[in-house]
Amino acid sequence: MWASLRFWGTALLGLAALPAIVIVTQATDDLTPVRVPVWEVLRAGVMLLAGAWAGGRAQSRGIGRILLLGGVLGVVQLICELPCLVIVSDGTAASWEEWLHYWIWVPQVMAPLLLATAIFPDGRPALPIAVTFSILAIVMTSFTVATYNWPRSDGGAGYNPVFMFLRLPPYLSIMITLVIVLVASAYVLASLVIRWKADEAAVRRPLLYPLAALLFGIVYALLHPALPAAAGDIWEVLPPVYCAALALAVRPLPGIRRLRSL
């Protein structure tokens, strides 16, 4: 019970911060148009709710933590967009919040897609190596994006406030990252196949939820050119849909549970 309250308390605090962040972001003194981060707010809000919902059961608490972390990272990303927040490392370098906003979406999106799926649906990984490579993929992708030539300007990579001396050549870093992500994805898919073959129908049913979310993402990507410009891209739409699917799978709604018992 206390664990569930902690999950919901964190989620509600994050949800309460979202409208305040949007209001402050739009409160400018001039007539400069301000981008309303609708999809980022939606993504963070859905992840917070999905994390609290999944974290309410002991067997899915690990999945809930991952989803809730994604929501918290989304709140941090939105805070970085506040016009009143400017933290500059020196007189010429880019601001810290711009740099953080540029790459923090990576763990927010990849953690549910890889790490949460690797321990889905009951928090027990069918392939522990899938968890290992998922973490490596998240860390390596975050490192690559965070240390790549950003913010792009006349100063180049030197304008990165955390320019790292261990920074790999861009093409080498991208190739290593791509290989690790592909290997991690293969292991995660293999773990789902193993769970499907080894478990009963009661466990197989939840495995259809992430599959349905991924199919939705594929269809959405194909239809995206015909959708209005405000429809968002696949990486804005798929993560909240996927997180909601995982949360509903590990903790079905009472109405769904009653229908299954009929």
Side-chain angles (χ1 to χ4, degrees):
M1 177 180 178
W2 290 111
S4 180
L5 289 177
R6 287 196 297 269
F7 275 88
W8 279 106
T10 304
L12 292 177
L13 285 175
L15 289 172
L18 293 178
I21 294 171
V22 173
I23 292 173
V24 174
T25 301
Q26 297 180 75
T28 56
D29 296 330
D30 52 26
L31 298 178
T32 304
V34 178
R35 183 183 70 90
V36 180
V38 176
W39 285 105
E40 292 178 18
V41 173
L42 177 64
R43 186 170 63 196
V46 171
M47 287 185 173
L48 288 169
L49 289 174
W53 181 258
R57 300 181 70 180
Q59 68 179 23
S60 59
R61 201 151 288 156
I63 298 173
R65 290 191 185 97
I66 296 171
L67 301 183
L68 193 63
L69 174 63
V72 172
L73 292 177
V75 174
V76 173
Q77 183 182 24
L78 288 166
I79 291 175
C80 292
E81 294 192 32
L82 294 177
C84 56
L85 182 65
V86 179
I87 306 173
V88 181
S89 57
D90 58 52
T92 59
S95 60
W96 287 83
E97 74 277 0
E98 286 182 350
W99 168 77
L100 188 61
H101 179 270
Y102 179 69
W103 69 268
I104 200 172
W105 65 270
V106 174
Q108 183 196 15
V109 170
M110 292 186 66
L113 291 177
L114 290 178
L115 190 56
T117 309
I119 61 174
F120 184 81
D122 55 7
R124 295 183 296 108
L127 284 176
I129 194 172
V131 174
T132 302
F133 269 91
S134 295
I135 295 174
L136 285 175
I138 295 169
V139 171
M140 190 62 195
T141 306
S142 300
F143 174 84
T144 299
V145 176
T147 58
Y148 193 63
N149 186 13
W150 173 261
R152 292 176 177 83
S153 62
D154 295 337
Y159 275 62
N160 190 323
V162 289
F163 178 77
M164 300 181 182
F165 295 102
L166 297 178
R167 179 172 174 265
L168 298 174
Y171 295 108
L172 178 60
S173 179
I174 292 173
M175 289 301 298
I176 294 175
T177 300
L178 181 60
V179 170
I180 294 177
V181 170
L182 290 176
V183 172
S185 301
Y187 275 125
V188 169
L189 291 176
S191 68
L192 292 178
V193 172
I194 292 174
R195 293 304 302 266
W196 179 272
K197 291 184 176 181
D199 291 314
E200 300 176 352
V203 178
R204 289 180 177 179
R205 266 194 300 268
L207 297 177
L208 297 176
Y209 283 69
L211 176 61
L214 290 175
L215 290 177
F216 167 82
I218 294 173
V219 173
Y220 186 88
L222 294 175
L223 296 178
H224 187 266
L227 297 176
D233 60 40
I234 184 62
W235 295 115
E236 291 176 326
V237 176
L238 178 59
V241 172
Y242 193 80
C243 290
L246 292 183
L248 291 175
V250 298
R251 190 173 180 180
L253 293 169
I256 296 177
R257 193 178 294 118
R258 285 197 297 268
L259 287 175
R260 288 177 178 175
S261 62
L262 294 179

